[in-house]
Each structure stands twice: as structure tokens, then as C-alpha cells.
Amino acid sequence: MIRQYELVERVKAYDPSADEDLLNRAYVFSLKAHGSQTRASGDPYFSHPLEVAGILTQMKLDAGTIATALLHDTVEDTVATLEDIERVFGREIARLVDGVTKLSRLELNSEQAKQAENFRKLVLAMSEDIRVLLVKLADRLHNMRTLHHIGKPEKRKRIARETLEIYAPLAERIGMHQIKDELEDLAFAQINTEARDSILAQLSRLRNEGEDRVARIITELRETLTAEGIPNVLVSGREKTAYSIWRKLQRKNVSFEQLSDIMAFRITVESLPECYQALGVIHAAYPVVPGRFKDYISTPKPNGYRSLHTGVIGPGRNRIEVQIRTSDMHEIAELGVAAHWSYKQGQPRNGGREYRWLRELLDILEHAQKPEEFLEHTKLELFQDQVFCFTPKGDLIALPRGATPVDFAYAVHSEVGDHCVGAKINGRMLPLRTQLQNGDQVDIITSKAQTPVPGWERFVVTGKARARIRKFLRTQQRAQYIELGRAILQRQFKTEGYEFSDKALEAVVKIFQQPSVEDLLAGVGSGLHSGREVFHGVFPGHKPPVKDADERAATAPKPKPKRKDAPLPIRGLIPGMAVHYARCCHPLPGDRIVGIVTTGKGVTIHTIDCETLESFHESPERWIDVAWDIESERAEEHVGRVSLVVANEPGSLGTLSTVIGKNGGNISNLKITSRNVDFFELLIDVEVKDAKHLTNIMAALRATPAISSVDRARG
């Protein structure tokens, strides 16, 4: 454990003016509060807040942040209260500690609801002071480093999944790539141990084979730059993390050996002009790989990241990635917002509201109906690769990959999104469902008469857009339910010989646990309460007139029809029409799909990129706009087809089936299409839940040494 004087010396080393008394008081207060508590590892509990404080000293953060780290678990896990913290340390430290503290005494009906409420509180707190997030990330990092001490595997996986879905993307959003990489790798080790071990084994092999090669590349790059008059240049090599490689294997149809940027070489120069000078030298000396150049200096990422990226066929004909930046850019690349929040700034600091992504989380928070919905939309907002597009004025808008003009419109402003009727992309009018590409200039066309369309929800990908559309549809639906509920009650009252009025319902609102008359009417319209129930609530002593036998027989309730199977999980289909999935493209939930009406067969569902669709271009009347219903409760296995090239060696087919089985897939059919001395070529049908499930299986297969290539089969 770090001793008290050692912690103070660490802070004083980079900030001589730090409040030494504050640090000493926080250290002693936390030590006494946690007392004899221990962690799952058996270590004293106090070691945890101390290690969190140690992580934050490496970022050179101010004394207030270090004190918050020491105190962050006292309110949640000891008898200390927020009032105690405020009395001893002041209002600012108490506010920071409260922001990091979880809602431990919350009465919620599910673990997910509790997680969502805790995250909601964190978002509100870090919007006021971003240091709350810095402490929370350091807290999560130390918890992940010691996660292996937790006995229950399912609990370890739950915490790891939460880290991967929420905390690692948050670290990336504020530019803290060091912490993001470590969080991802530690979570990956728990969620998919076999895939990580396989990637690490192959990295180790490549490292052993290419140790001299890396040193030669660094030496040659340095000599090339120095010879062209760039002084004091630093060149280093950095290996990509196992999780980063896994994500690339998921996205790209390449084997492990074909990945060109497993090693990235960083060139650090003294000034901004030298960045572009170094880029010119590298491009002049080595052939450029097309499509690999990115200028994040002239167009920085939203988290402040600045650097030049390029791919070249470098020294020794090796295909490499090169990053060029200054030392200041490098500090921001590694520490992100922490670099701005360190002691040395000496400027008044804002909260977190200056970050666009955080303002959008607050917007989602305002429009989400339930905590779980907020969490779902937040994950959409955080956990995706990005594309960068421009407004007509040249303002940069960062969006998730796959975003559409509707997502862009909502990112500009909620009102622009609500009234969006069309979009010009690079000067051309294109459909609103068009997926945007890096560098697109988007001009949104609006109309005051326009309102959000239910169909937009099928193709938008940002949490903000989905939350706004759902809120509008809920409001519109509520109005319809109120109108329907009023009509049902008017008919019920008239049948019983009474005149209906809203005032009559005021007395029974509380009986039905509704906040207002309108809510009660909406409940009747949506089927939550029947008209008869509400009528008898208003007139509890009312007795219907006695009917004779013939009347009773005529009005007797008819037996309910037997429940049929749940409908297919596809929206936009004509009720009762026969449906089947095309065998040419094997569509899966998550794919963009289209329906083709076929005489005598009903509707055939194809993926939007299926080559078979070309034969229907002359028959637009046969096309049906359909989409997967992500809210469908129907549990159904779908078949995805993959083509593989597998090494012709003992055990390779066994390894193949084991990998598919461990990742939750089931082989329903296997066909060897070609076989020679070295390789098999196979077609395999795998039962999966959706396209993402199949992508994960394919990534796991690509990480397996016995498998040369994996692709989703078409045809």
C-alpha cells in the first residue's frame, strides 16, 4: 500500500502548491472509516481508494480530485454520511464524492434498472464537474485489475460487460486512450477468454519472429526523417491490444496475418509544421496504402485527439501504420481531458457540459421514459465507431458508423430532427435512410408541418434520435389512447343509463392509482383498465337489471380463441401472408432487409445487398419495405451461412466445431466444396440468434490459427 507521506510527495512532486493538509485529512478519514473492512482478495478495503488515488496521481490531477478518490467509497460502504464529508472537507469535495457514490439504497425491481439509475446519476454529476468521471474511471480500472478475486463467474462477466459497454466508451469520449485500452483488455479477458488467449499466442509468435524487424523499421524511419532535416525526432513502435485486434477481426474479412496495423509506429516531432513535413518525407520515401490517410490535426476528433495517420509499404516492404504528432498532442492522446484538468492549467474550469456528447446524453436522459430505455440509448450513443460529417457552414458533426441524415439532423438540434423532410448529401438529394460516409457534407431540409415518422426508428442509430422519435410517438399514441378511452367510457355510461363527464372520474383517479383523469382515460384506451371497472368505481352500488335466460345467452361471453404462435419478428408484412427467408442470402435479425412478393409463395425476405434483387429492378410493385422487429418476443433460431478455408491437418474440423459451439452456435449443415493437400473449403450453416451473433462467431473463427479465412456466404 502507498504510505501517507508517499501519496503527498507524489502530488507535491508535480504540484508544489497542493493542499497538503487536505490530502492528509482525507487519508486519515478514509483509513478510519473503512477500519477493518476487507475486499474479496482479503486485502484491507482501504487499499482500494488508495490505489484509485495512486492512478489519478499518474495523471497529475489536482488535490481535490485525489481527496475525492480517497473518500469515494466512505458514504456507500461505511457509517460516514455526506453531511460528515461536507463538514470536514467542504461543499466541493462533498459534491464530488456524492457524484461518484452509487444509489445503494434504491428500491428497484431489476438489476438493469439499478444499473441504469446509477448511470443516470453519474451522467448528471459529471455534467456539473467532469472530475466525477475521472474518479469513476480510475475506480473502475482498479476494480477490473482485481476482478479475478471475485468467486462467481457470472458476476465477473456482468461487471466486465458493463465495463465494455459503458466505461471504456466513456474513457474514449474524453480521450483517455490508455485507460480505455486497459479497461477493454481486462473485460475481454473475462468475456471471451479463449479468443483473447488465441490472439495473444499469435501476437507472441509474431513478436518473436519480428523482434529484429521492428527495431530495423524504427531505425530506418528515424534515419530517413533526420536525413531530411527534421531534428529531435522520436520514433517508437506500439502493439495493438488483443481487444482492438478482435474488433478488427469482427469487422473485416481478413485473417490475423492479413491485419496491416497490428504494430503502429509513432513519430513525435517538436512543432505542428514538422508534422506535415514528416508526413511528406514518409510519403516520398515509401509507397502509400490507398485510403489509409487521416488528418486529425486539421479536423480533430470530438475528444480533442490530434494526429496524422497514414499507411505505407515501409522499410523491408512491411505494410505499417504511422502516426505523426507533437509531444503536446501525444499527452492529450494518452490522457485526454485529464491533460486539461491537471494542476498546471491554473484556469477556471468548467463542468462537463462543454462536451457535445455529454449534452446529448443529458438530452436522452430528458426524453427516455424508463431508466432501462435511457441505458439502451446511451449504449447506442457511446459504443460505436464514428464517421465525421460537416454542416453547410463547415461545422464538424461526429456520428456513429451507419448513421443517416435523420441522425445528423437530431445531432444538429432536436427541432431540426423533428421537422426534417429531406437531405442533400454533397449537393445531391438522397433518401433519409442513406448511410453517411466520412467527409460527407449534409444539408438538412425542414418543414414546420413535418413531425417524426414511425418508420425512422427502423434505421436511426443514435440514442438521441431514437429517444426523441419514441417520445413523440408515445405522446401521439397517448392522445389516441385518451380519445379511445373517453369513447369507451361514454358508451359504457350510456349503456347503464348515465351521462358521462370527466368530472365524474376525478373521485376514482386515486382508486386506480393514476395521477390524473387523462392518465385514467389513457389506461382505459390502452386496455390497462376496462370501461366496466371504471364505471363500477364511479358507481359502486349500481346493479344491472336482471336479464331473462334468452338475454343472458345472447350476451354471454364467447370463448376466447386459442392463442396462436407469436407473429414473425418482422415489421411491414401483410397479415396472413406466407413468409419465408431467401436461401440465396440467409437474412438474419440485424441485417437490412426487403420483402419480394412471389406469386404462389407469399413474401420472400432478402438482405438489402442480395445479388438476386437485381432481377426484380423492373418490378418495383413487388417490393415491400420491411424491417426486423427488435421488440418481438418470438424466440427463433435463424440460419447463417459461412464459407471457410481450413487447414487440412488433424484436429482442424474438431477445433472449428468447438469454436462455434463455445460461442453459442449450432452447426445444422456442413459441405466440403473443395479439398486439396493443404486446405479444405467448406460451406457451413450455423443456427444463430442474429447477425451480431454470427459476426462474433466469425471473429472467433478468424482468431483460430487453423482457419485461413472466414466470410459470410452469399448464394
Side-chain angles (χ1 to χ4, degrees), residues 473-487:
L473 295 178
R474 276 198 305 269
T475 304
Q476 189 180 54
Q477 189 181 54
R478 175 180 163 82
Q480 292 171 350
Y481 281 153
I482 290 171
E483 200 61 37
L484 178 59
R486 182 174 279 108

Side-chain angles (χ1 to χ4, degrees), residues 324-345:
I324 305 170
R325 61 182 70 148
T326 65
S327 55
D328 287 343
M329 292 176 193
H330 178 63
E331 183 181 20
I332 292 171
E334 294 299 306
L335 296 178
V337 71
H340 298 294
W341 260 95
S342 60
Y343 75 96
K344 60 192 175 187
Q345 291 296 312

Side-chain angles (χ1 to χ4, degrees), residues 195-378:
R196 182 175 180 271
D197 289 345
S198 176
I199 290 170
L200 289 177
Q202 297 202 59
L203 280 174
S204 178
R205 176 176 57 79
L206 287 178
R207 205 180 298 125
N208 293 334
E209 289 175 1
E211 194 169 347
D212 294 338
R213 182 176 60 195
V214 171
R216 285 198 305 272
I217 291 172
I218 290 174
T219 301
E220 186 173 327
L221 287 175
R222 188 187 303 114
E223 290 174 351
T224 301
L225 292 161
T226 305
E228 292 296 327
I230 302 177
N232 303 323
V233 63
L234 295 175
V235 183
S236 59
R238 182 178 65 87
E239 196 175 78
K240 290 287 178 74
T241 64
Y243 183 71
S244 174
I245 292 169
W246 167 256
R247 292 285 306 277
K248 277 190 162 49
L249 289 172
Q250 283 183 309
R251 290 198 307 268
K252 298 184 178 181
N253 179 30
V254 293
S255 65
F256 181 90
E257 288 76 13
Q258 288 175 289
L259 291 176
S260 62
D261 52 359
I262 290 173
M263 282 293 295
F265 292 87
R266 183 180 302 122
I267 296 170
T268 308
V269 294
E270 292 185 326
S271 66
L272 190 149
E274 286 180 352
C275 290
Y276 289 98
Q277 187 183 349
L279 177 70
V281 171
I282 296 297
H283 280 186
Y286 306 106
V288 177
V289 178
R292 298 291 299 169
F293 173 63
K294 293 171 185 171
D295 187 345
Y296 293 122
I297 292 179
S298 66
T299 310
K301 289 187 178 182
N303 60 20
Y305 177 88
R306 301 174 75 206
S307 185
L308 298 174
H309 290 197
T310 189
V312 295
I313 308 298
R317 307 298 297 169
N318 291 292
R319 184 169 164 161
I320 60 173
E321 179 183 296
V322 178
Q323 301 169 357
I324 305 170
R325 61 182 70 148
T326 65
S327 55
D328 287 343
M329 292 176 193
H330 178 63
E331 183 181 20
I332 292 171
E334 294 299 306
L335 296 178
V337 71
H340 298 294
W341 260 95
S342 60
Y343 75 96
K344 60 192 175 187
Q345 291 296 312
Q347 298 171 358
R349 295 158 173 148
N350 300 318
R353 290 176 187 264
E354 70 263 34
Y355 303 106
R356 183 188 193 100
W357 60 271
L358 190 46
R359 292 198 304 273
E360 289 179 353
L361 288 193
L362 291 170
D363 195 275
I364 291 171
L365 185 60
E366 182 184 340
H367 294 101
Q369 185 180 27
K370 298 182 293 186
E372 295 92 332
E373 191 177 300
F374 167 60
L375 193 63
E376 172 205 340
H377 294 160
T378 297

